[in-house]
Amino acid sequence: MVVYNDMRQNGTNTAKRGYFKGGLMANVAWLGLPASSIKTGQDSRVTYTGSWSNSILYSSPTQTSKESTTLNDTVSFTTYGTVAYICMGLWNGGMGQVSVTVDGVSKGTYNCFDTYTTFLGTTASCFLIRVTGLTDQVHTVVLTVAVNGGQTTFVWGGGNHDINTLNSPDVYVGNVIKMTAAGYTLDLVNGSDAAVNLFNTDIADIVTSLSGDGLGVYLVDVCSVFDPNAGLVSVDTVHPNDAGHQVIATAFINRIYTRYRRIPVT
């Protein structure tokens, strides 16, 4: 499950919800793609020209992202499938831009900056560029830094070829649960039933898009079975209590059972 505190902080703000949607789609796609089809910033199959360096964004021993601030620096790699995925860094207050081509055909120029800070104070995130309508073959993706001095960060790229196999991941995405009236007024005060509905529409859109690409991504509609006024919320008026967690767990189990055509839990 995702988005709960972001819903409480951002409410119905369209721009902030859009930033979060881009980051969530990038993370769900990452989980839904087989590891073999993902090429991270330091993958030997990725080629750089210019002055790219390791970035602190999504840095780990095996998945370091790369960044450049120099106009016309490039990163290139191949993908396989009808959809190409490109995950880029998103920096608060930056000015980075990236132009994308696939097989030499322009697929647009994208801003790599925002004005968004999460409820935890994080000022950097990511977003997913999703290039659809390709033929099911190998494609060459080239990313070009489109502005001088802007922070442009490449996180990972991949394609959707041959993902309907037993070795492909299944990803179950829970939506946002509603709160009591008292819960909406505590601490982060922009939450509302209307905000929950908007966030849940965004989550459903993400699941529809990625599952339509062939990824094993499935929506768990927790909101429809979780009644915050039915004794499922703890005394802090925010978090589910034991009974609430059982409702949530059962919703996930039943969705998994439905996926594999087994008898649901009651």
Side-chain angles (χ1 to χ4, degrees), residues 158-230:
N160 72 332
H161 176 75
D162 199 25
I163 54 178
N164 288 316
T165 69
L166 292 176
N167 294 324
S168 296
D170 281 352
V171 183
Y172 295 87
V173 184
N175 57 13
V176 188
I177 57 177
K178 293 179 179 178
M179 304 177 70
T180 63
Y184 284 133
T185 63
L186 183 68
D187 298 329
L188 305 173
V189 297
N190 293 318
S192 63
D193 284 358
V196 170
N197 292 336
L198 289 170
F199 272 96
N200 285 346
T201 297
D202 291 339
I203 293 169
D205 288 346
I206 290 170
V207 172
T208 297
S209 295
L210 295 178
S211 62
D213 295 344
L215 277 68
V217 178
Y218 307 94
L219 179 67
V220 183
D221 187 6
V222 181
C223 184
S224 67
V225 297
F226 189 98
D227 182 353
N229 299 303

Side-chain angles (χ1 to χ4, degrees), residues 5-14 16-17 20 116-117 190-191 195 199:
N5 284 323
D6 295 87
M7 177 278 298
R8 297 172 61 211
Q9 173 178 291
N10 299 325
T12 59
N13 185 291
T14 300
K16 292 181 178 180
R17 212 176 69 247
F20 191 90
Y116 179 59
T117 301
N190 293 318
F199 272 96

